[in-house]
Amino acid sequence: MKKIKGVRISPGIVCGPIYYFEKGRLNVPRHFIRAEDFDSELQRFKQAIQASVNELKQVRDLVLDHLDEEHARIIDAQLIAVQDEEMIKAVENLMHQERKNVTWAYYEVMNEYEALLLKTYSQFFKERTADLKDIKKRVLHHMVGEEETILPDINKPSIIVAEKISPGDLIHIEHNLALGLITWEGGFDSHAGILARAFRIPYISNVDLIEELVSYSEIILDADNEEILLDISGSLKQEYLTRITEFQKLRKRIISAKVANSTRDKVPYHIYLNVGFVDEVEAIDPQLIQGIGLFRTEFLCIEQNTIPDEEVQFQAYRAVLKKMGHLPVIFRVFDFGRDKLLAMLDLEVIQEDHVFDEWGGIGFLLENPDILKAQLRALLRASIHGNVKIMLPLVMFTDEVRQTIELLHEVQRELQEQGIPFRKGIELGAMIETSSILEQLDGLADLVDFFSIGTNDLALYLIGSGRTVDLTRNYYHPKIFNAINLIVSAAKRANVPVTVCGEMASDPYALIGLTAMGIRSVSISTSALAEISKEISALDTKMLENLADLILSADSAATIYSLLVQFHQDCLG
Ligand code: PEP
Ligand code: MG
C-alpha cells in the first residue's frame, strides 16, 4: 500500500476511478492520413520543432540576462529534448505504421515518455515530466494554434485530479459524478473549497505529482486523514470501505437535527447558513434551521456563465424565499471578486489574490449601476414572498452605502410607479471585510441595520496571507481578533446586530475565540452545521470571561491557538 499526503479542504472519504482534468488543454486533432500526406505532415512537425527551438533560445537568453547560468541549464535540457532524434523517429514510425496524423502521433509519443518517467523511482525523473509537458504544449501549439478552454466532461462517478480547480469548473460538473477532488494548488477559503464543502465533496490539495495518480485504476481519497491510498487490498481495504459507506449515508443527510439556538448556560445564539444555489436551499428542511445568513448570489452567475437577467434572478430569489417561509434570508448582492469573476469569465490567468481586489464588492457594482439596479429590482420584487434582507460585500467607504441607498430608493420609486408590489423597510447590512471600513464603523452603523464579518477577506486585507491552507496564520492571528473586538464594540455602541459569516466560524477553536469576543451569531456552510451546533450547545459563556483579555494581549497566532485548544480541552473536551 502506498500513501500520498495532502491538506484537507473538505472532509469525507471516497473510493473510485480517477478523472484527470487538464485545464487549458490543447486541442489535439486526431485523424488518419493518406500516404501522400505523409511528407507535408512531417514538414509541419519539423517547422513546429524549429519554431519551438527559436523560442526556447530566446527564453534562455532572457534567463541568462535576469538570472544565472544554472537556471539557463534548465532551458538547455528542454532544447535538447525538443529536438531529440529518437523522439522524432518514434513519431515518424507511428505515422507510418498506424497512419496517425502528426499531432496525434506526437501527442502519443510524448505521453509515453511522460509515463516512463513517472514509473521510475527517482523523484528527479518524475519531476522532469513537467519539462516534457511544457515542450509538448509548445510544439503542439505551433501545429494547432490556440489552447482550448475546456470544461470537465466526466461520464462516470470519479475522483477529479487537477492542478487547480475553479468554482466555475466545479459547478459545471454534475455533483453526483464528482466523488472527490485532489489538486496540486488550492486553499481552504478558496471559493472552490467553499463549494466542495457545500456539495460535501471530499477534497485535499497541496498534493505533489498529481500526474502519478493517473496510472491507478482506483484510489481511496481519505480527506479526513489528509491522504490518498494506493494499491490497497484485503482486510485494510474492507475497513476503508466500511468508512466510505458511512460517509455516503452522512452525505445524503444534509441536516438531520434542529440546530442549537443557545449555549449551555442558555445564552441565545444564532446559527445561520451560508449557501449559493437554489438547489442547495431546496434540500434543506426549514424546520431545522434559523435562516440563511449569506446567500452568495454571484454563484448564480457562475452557474449560468453569465449575469442572469432580472426575471431569472427574481425566479431564483423567490424560490429561495418561498422555501424558507418566515425565516430570514440575507442575499448578498453580487461579489465579483477574484476567483469568482474569473470563474464566470473562464479566464485562465494567475489568480494573484491582490490583483483583483478592486474588482470585487459593492464598489464594482456602483461602477456598473445597471447590474446593481436589475439585482435590486429582482430582490425587491421577490421580497413579498418571504423575509428578505440585503447585504453589501467588500464595503470600503461609508459613501458606497449612501450611494447604494439612493439607488435602492430609485428602484423603489420605479416599482411603485409601475404598480409592482414590494416589501417596505427591508433591512440593509454591510459586510465588514476590508481594512479601510474598520476606521469608519460608527459612521457605517448609522447607515445600516446589521454587520456581517467576512473573515476570509478580512484575513486577506489584514494579514495579506489570503485564502491559504494555513489556517493557523489566518484564524488565530492577533490582528483578526483585534479587528473582531473593534467591530463587536462598535456594533454594541450602535445597537446593531453582528454575525460572523467567514469560514473562521466553522472552526471549533476559532469559534470559542469569537464567542469570547462577544459574538453571538454565526453563519456557516451546511457541512459544518452539525459540529458547530454541538460545540455551541456545549459552551458555557461564563467560563469565557477571562479568555477575551488573554486573546487580546497575545502577540502571536501560535499563542492564541494554544489558548483556544487548551480551553477546548478543559471545558469541552
Ligand atoms: C468572507 O470574505 O469571509 C466571506 C464570507 O465572503 P466570500 O468568502 O464570499 O468572499
Ligand atoms: Mg468576502
Side-chain angles (χ1 to χ4, degrees), residues 191 273 329 441:
H191 289 98
L273 278 180
V329 181
L441 290 173

Side-chain angles (χ1 to χ4, degrees), residues 455-523:
T455 49
N456 307 342
D457 277 304
L458 199 58
L460 180 71
Y461 279 90
L462 294 181
I463 317 163
S465 59
R467 294 169 189 253
T468 62
V469 284
D470 189 350
L471 308 182
T472 322
R473 250 195 341 199
N474 280 359
Y475 296 165
Y476 313 115
H477 199 289
K479 281 191 183 170
I480 294 285
F481 277 104
N482 277 300
I484 303 274
N485 184 40
L486 200 77
I487 301 163
V488 171
S489 309
K492 272 195 187 138
R493 274 196 302 277
N495 200 20
V496 163
V498 59
T499 296
V500 173
C501 67
E503 298 302 300
M504 181 178 172
S506 303
D507 178 84
Y509 303 130
L511 178 79
I512 294 170
L514 291 172
T515 311
M517 305 317 293
I519 292 291
R520 297 289 181 267
S521 174
V522 291
S523 192

Side-chain angles (χ1 to χ4, degrees), residues 410-465:
E410 194 182 311
V411 170
Q412 285 169 335
R413 277 195 301 274
E414 256 179 41
L415 290 174
Q416 205 140 22
E417 278 162 23
Q418 292 165 353
I420 300 173
F422 61 91
R423 185 193 278 259
K424 306 265 172 1
I426 293 174
E427 284 187 19
L428 185 72
M431 286 199 69
I432 316 291
E433 49 180 351
T434 67
S435 37
S436 44
I437 204 64
L438 290 181
E439 288 154 27
Q440 307 161 63
L441 290 173
D442 290 330
L444 184 69
D446 290 340
L447 294 172
V448 296
D449 302 297
F450 60 92
F451 286 169
S452 194
I453 310 177
T455 49
N456 307 342
D457 277 304
L458 199 58
L460 180 71
Y461 279 90
L462 294 181
I463 317 163
S465 59

Side-chain angles (χ1 to χ4, degrees), residues 265-281:
D265 54 331
K266 301 282 172 274
V267 172
Y269 214 114
H270 291 290
I271 309 176
Y272 298 113
L273 278 180
N274 290 350
V275 293
F277 300 97
V278 180
D279 288 357
E280 222 182 329
V281 176

Side-chain angles (χ1 to χ4, degrees), residues 200-242:
R200 299 186 164 212
I201 301 172
Y203 174 14
I204 65 173
S205 80
N206 289 33
V207 176
D208 289 333
L209 294 174
I210 46 170
E211 298 94 339
E212 207 179 325
L213 298 172
V214 180
S215 52
Y216 291 86
S217 56
E218 188 184 73
I219 64 166
I220 290 177
L221 165 62
D222 181 359
D224 292 338
N225 292 310
E226 307 191 304
E227 59 196 16
I228 300 160
L229 299 118
L230 309 168
D231 289 331
I232 183 166
S233 56
S235 61
L236 193 59
K237 181 166 183 182
Q238 207 43 52
E239 269 176 41
Y240 276 100
L241 290 180
T242 313

